[in-house]
Amino acid sequence: MTTPAPVPSPRPLRVAVVGVGHLGRHHLRKYAAVEGVRLVAAVDPSPAAREWAVKNASVPATESLGDIIGRVDAVTVATPTAHHLEVALPLIEAGIHVLVEKPITTTVAEARRLIEAARRRGVVLQIGH
């Protein structure tokens, strides 16, 4: 009887967190603890928030959303709600799966834009709860 060949492990899911405030920090800690996930980056305009991410989550940090496009499979958006559309839409349009912390957006029209973009691109759009 022959031994079956080992099944190759899928590559780790590459994730980033945009917004390193209270909720974003929780997401960073959780992702860092999940087997099969590689935390690629934290994105935040605040130098103090980026410093926290580097020091406490051992993850590279950047202030530019463009730095993660093409490098991640999924992103958590944990920015203030007023920024959800402007942050999540380019990620979705780049084919990246997105988890947006609640509420999804500030208006129903903005929410519909995200939902339609996700349908069009065939990516998962999830709202955190």
Side-chain angles (χ1 to χ4, degrees), residues 53-121:
V54 170
K55 181 179 177 185
N56 295 286
S58 301
V59 61
T62 181
E63 65 181 303
S64 174
L65 195 59
D67 289 343
I68 63 170
I69 293 177
R71 297 181 50 226
V72 296
D73 304 305
V75 172
T76 288
V77 175
T79 62
T81 305
H83 301 288
H84 285 180
L85 178 67
E86 71 188 72
V87 171
L89 189 58
L91 296 169
I92 291 168
E93 289 175 344
I96 298 167
H97 304 288
V98 175
L99 182 151
V100 177
E101 268 301 340
K102 66 176 170 69
I104 183 172
T105 56
T106 56
T107 69
V108 172
E110 289 177 347
R112 285 188 178 128
R113 284 184 66 191
L114 290 183
I115 293 164
E116 287 307 312
R119 281 187 184 138
R120 189 172 55 255
R121 291 292 292 150

Side-chain angles (χ1 to χ4, degrees), residues 8-92:
S9 298
R11 71 174 168 86
L13 182 67
R14 303 168 303 161
V15 300
V17 174
V18 180
V20 187
H22 179 73
L23 288 176
R25 291 176 183 193
H26 287 298
H27 284 267
L28 284 170
R29 284 193 291 267
K30 296 294 185 182
Y31 282 135
V34 176
E35 187 175 328
V37 169
R38 182 167 61 93
L39 194 50
V40 172
V43 181
D44 200 290
S46 163
R50 292 192 307 271
E51 184 178 319
W52 184 95
V54 170
K55 181 179 177 185
N56 295 286
S58 301
V59 61
T62 181
E63 65 181 303
S64 174
L65 195 59
D67 289 343
I68 63 170
I69 293 177
R71 297 181 50 226
V72 296
D73 304 305
V75 172
T76 288
V77 175
T79 62
T81 305
H83 301 288
H84 285 180
L85 178 67
E86 71 188 72
V87 171
L89 189 58
L91 296 169
I92 291 168

